[in-house]
Structure formats: C-alpha cells, structure tokens
Amino acid sequence: MRWDAPAFEWQTVIFAGQVMLAIVENFLLFCMAIYSLVLVRRVCRTLAATPPSERAAQRGPLVKRTVIRFGAVYLMWWVVFSVIGYGDEVWTRSEAKDCTRSSAPEYEGKYFAEECPVRGNKDGDRILLRLYEVRTGDLVAEEFVSNPTHKLEWESGSINKMGSLRDSGTYSVRIFIPPTWPDKIRARLP
C-alpha cells in the first residue's frame, strides 16, 4: 500500500485493526460461542440418531451432560485467562519505575502517592497509581490508570486521577483515604 493512498483505504485498514483488537480482547467469549455451537450440533446429531421411542428418555440426561461439560470447559478457560491476566499485571507492577512522588499538606506525615509509568506504553498512556503509608512505608493501595489526562488531585478523603478510554470519554480512578480493606488486601498480593 502506498503512503499517498486515498483516505478510504486507510480507514479500511484502521477498521480491520479495530475488529482484530476486539476479537483478541473478547477471545474467551468468541471461543465459547463456537464451542457452544459445536455442542448443540452434537446434541442434535445424537438425538437424530436415536430411535424416536428413546428420544424423550435420552433428551434430559444428554442436555444435562452437555450443560455440565460446557460449564466445566468455560470455567477451565476462565481460570486460565484469569491466571494469565493476573500474571501480566504482576509483571507490569513489578517493572514500574521512574515514579513521581506527591503528597498533600493535609496528609503530610500520613500518606504519599506515586505515579509510575508502566511497560509497553512509550507515551505514558498507562500509569500505576500507588498510595503508601508514611509511618511504615507500606503500600496500602494501587490502581492502573489508562491514558491519564489530568494531574493527581488530593481531595478530602481520597486521591483522584482522571484517565480516558478509547472512544468512551473520561473516567476517574479514586483511592479512598484511609484505604478500604479490599484495597489493602490487593496491595499485599504479589
């Protein structure tokens, strides 16, 4: 493709890229939809091959086995994808460097925050926002922020960081001060 190609060709390439990205992002659902069609077809073939007098008796147990099989395979794939996703997050959090520290006068001596750019994002389009307790130096909460748009805001009872999503506008990541117990537990996990 030439660099001076008409705009409609580039729009086609961009659209195809977005479709591929959507397929990758929803790979588990895509695979499970195909698998469910295979199972339905198998049930239909099995019922068509049985004599009409036995179909009613076999339909219930066959459907039950099929639903259990689908649920087991879905659960297995969900666990695999969750472990892979969590492992990627652990790796990303462990490589966060060049952090910028900030604090607010009202929380001086209690908490400070760090904004750390994470790997794979050349232009700083994803950061890891961390909250530490000054007294112990322990990490007490952390959140990822995609495409940060504004500076870190210290408010009464929380810290906020604005981000933006592809074609969806802006959103805010908020960490409460003091952090909630789920935040503290997640911060202790690797």
Side-chain angles (χ1 to χ4, degrees), residues 37-180:
L37 291 174
V38 168
L39 288 179
V40 167
R41 189 172 176 199
R42 185 181 297 166
V43 167
C44 291
R45 268 195 265 139
T46 304
L47 287 176
T50 57
S53 60
E54 297 175 12
R55 278 189 196 150
Q58 286 189 353
R59 184 177 298 136
L62 182 62
V63 169
K64 182 179 177 182
R65 278 194 319 264
T66 303
V67 168
I68 290 172
R69 179 179 291 162
F70 178 81
V73 169
Y74 181 80
L75 182 63
M76 178 194 66
W77 278 107
W78 182 82
V79 167
V80 167
F81 276 85
S82 296
V83 167
I84 290 170
Y86 184 74
D88 182 56
E89 276 193 12
V90 168
W91 183 30
T92 302
R93 286 194 309 259
S94 71
E95 292 189 340
K97 296 178 178 100
D98 303 325
C99 301
T100 306
R101 184 179 283 196
S102 72
S103 61
E106 61 198 67
Y107 295 111
E108 198 69 42
K110 293 182 183 176
Y111 297 100
F112 68 89
E114 286 185 344
E115 298 176 73
C116 308
V118 294
R119 72 173 168 83
N121 298 295
K122 300 173 191 163
D123 302 324
D125 58 352
R126 190 168 181 220
I127 65 163
L128 180 61
L129 178 61
R130 292 177 165 165
L131 182 68
Y132 290 90
E133 191 174 338
V134 171
R135 185 176 49 86
T136 62
D138 290 340
L139 176 66
V140 291
E142 63 184 356
E143 291 286 340
F144 285 103
V145 181
S146 297
N147 302 315
T149 57
H150 301 320
K151 66 178 191 156
L152 184 64
E153 298 174 359
W154 289 82
E155 294 181 357
S156 178
S158 69
I159 57 174
N160 298 319
K161 182 74 174 180
M162 297 294 290
S164 65
L165 298 173
R166 278 180 284 148
D167 306 328
S168 299
T170 61
Y171 70 99
S172 176
V173 171
R174 174 174 287 173
I175 297 176
F176 291 100
I177 300 176
T180 61

